[in-house]
Amino acid sequence: MPSHVAHALRRGMRLTLVGLALVGLALALGAVAPAAAQTPAPRIAAASDLKFALDEVIAAFARETGRSVVPTYGSSGNFKTQILQGAPFQLFLSADEGFVFELDEKGLTVDRGTLYGVGRIVLFAPKGANWSPDPQLADLKAALADGRITRFAIANPEHAPYGRAAQEALTTSGLWDAMRPRLVFGENVSQAAQFAASGSTQGGIFALSLVLAPQVAQLGTYALIPAEQHQPLRQRMVLLKGADAVSRAFYDYMQSSAARAVLKRYGFLLPGE
């Protein structure tokens, strides 16, 4: 074999060996670094009245810890059903503590959870409405009587705690029977707020925590409905079986002074206050 050919072959083999070594190193590093980076953030199920408040808490948690959780907002009753059917949530923030107790009885939670707040409901009229909200629902009653109200939004009482509270408030005020034919049900309280604030309906009853968000408050006027007109909206969170370290850390963070301050700003009555 000519010497120049042998030299070229030896040089090619050296380059090949170096290349394979580099590829091996890259694969080895890839097996370690991306694995940590690609660990999915835990999914948490949250009552939709928490939308604005919880988004702020999650952002603060990420800034302080470098870790994140992925929220899904919806009806607490629907989440309970999904969790019973095996939905892969690691933390459940319910607007009704009864749903948490039901899951605990089924052995799906680590314990009975903790109360994180008590919610309130408001009577809301969109901009341009020809009636005015008041705590006694007096003008709502007059508007029903003279035909000014033809469409009115609440969350579905069958599975949304805030819808049930709205039904109780209307019943206590003697307005439920007159209002029933005019009701537009939101799948959850956030959707009911959207119907009312957008003008799709002529008003609605939904969560104080939603109307205190500037993007909703600017769309209409509201009155706080007295707490004695409905059963307390005791909101409880619980870790589900198999919850990872991040979801446990977020559960603890929800009880911190920083998270409590956010919840208080959105109108929740806090445990111990």
Side-chain angles (χ1 to χ4, degrees), residues 130-131 134 137-149 175:
N130 57 2
W131 67 281
D134 62 87
L137 283 63
D139 197 36
L140 178 64
K141 184 175 184 178
L144 276 170
D146 62 25
R148 282 177 285 155
I149 297 288
L175 301 178

Side-chain angles (χ1 to χ4, degrees), residues 200-221:
S200 297
T201 64
Q202 292 149 328
I205 295 176
F206 55 85
L208 173 63
S209 58
L210 297 177
V211 81
L212 288 180
Q215 51 267 59
V216 178
Q218 66 183 351
L219 298 176
T221 59

